[in-house]
């Protein structure tokens, strides 16, 4: 399964009453991802997406890893540096 979402919708889907089932997700695409870098609260939401149990547990076991694609037409250079640091911590 490929899951495509915006930053706001993915936040609601993983933290709401009816949580999204991503156990069969192979690729997670988040559009407008630059919004994750506006402030600490939204950056914390990005960490919640990265650490979502359906994804993190599979990554930890190194099987069926989930590819994460953060897309935005307006990334700033400091945003790119933050995403690099998050990705390296998850490797």
């Amino acid at each position: 399964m490929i899951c495509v979402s915006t930053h706001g919708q993915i936040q609601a889907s993983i933290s709401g009453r009816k949580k999204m089932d991503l156990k069969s997700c192979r690729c997670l695409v988040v559009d407008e991802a630059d919004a994750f870098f506006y402030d600490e609260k939204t950056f914390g939401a990005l960490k919640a997406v990265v650490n979502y149990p359906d994804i993190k547990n599979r990554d930890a076991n190194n099987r069926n890893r989930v590819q994460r694609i953060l897309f935005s037409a307006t990334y700033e250079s400091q945003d790119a540096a933050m995403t690099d640091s998050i990705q390296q911590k998850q490797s």
Side-chain angles (χ1 to χ4, degrees):
M1 169 175 73
I2 298 172
C3 178
V4 180
S5 184
T6 61
H7 70 283
Q9 186 60 43
I10 194 73
Q11 284 177 264
S13 297
I14 67 169
S15 62
R17 236 177 337 137
K18 186 176 179 186
K19 295 184 174 154
M20 183 185 299
D21 181 0
L22 294 175
K23 290 183 180 105
S24 62
C25 181
R26 300 283 297 172
C27 182
L28 177 62
V29 182
V30 181
D31 192 12
E32 301 176 18
D34 61 307
F36 282 127
F37 305 102
Y38 291 158
D39 56 38
E40 270 306 309
K41 181 180 177 186
T42 54
F43 188 66
L46 174 60
K47 290 179 183 176
V49 170
V50 170
N51 292 316
Y52 192 63
D54 287 354
I55 294 173
K56 187 172 183 169
N57 292 341
R58 290 190 321 185
D59 285 351
N61 295 327
N62 225 7
R63 55 165 214 258
N64 300 324
R65 293 186 73 151
V66 178
Q67 180 180 13
R68 298 169 191 91
I69 301 171
L70 301 177
F71 178 79
S72 177
T74 58
Y75 271 124
E76 300 292 331
S77 59
Q78 67 268 19
D79 298 343
M82 276 197 232
T83 57
D84 289 344
S85 72
I86 290 171
Q87 291 177 43
Q88 289 179 6
K89 288 178 185 174
Q90 295 303 313
S91 300

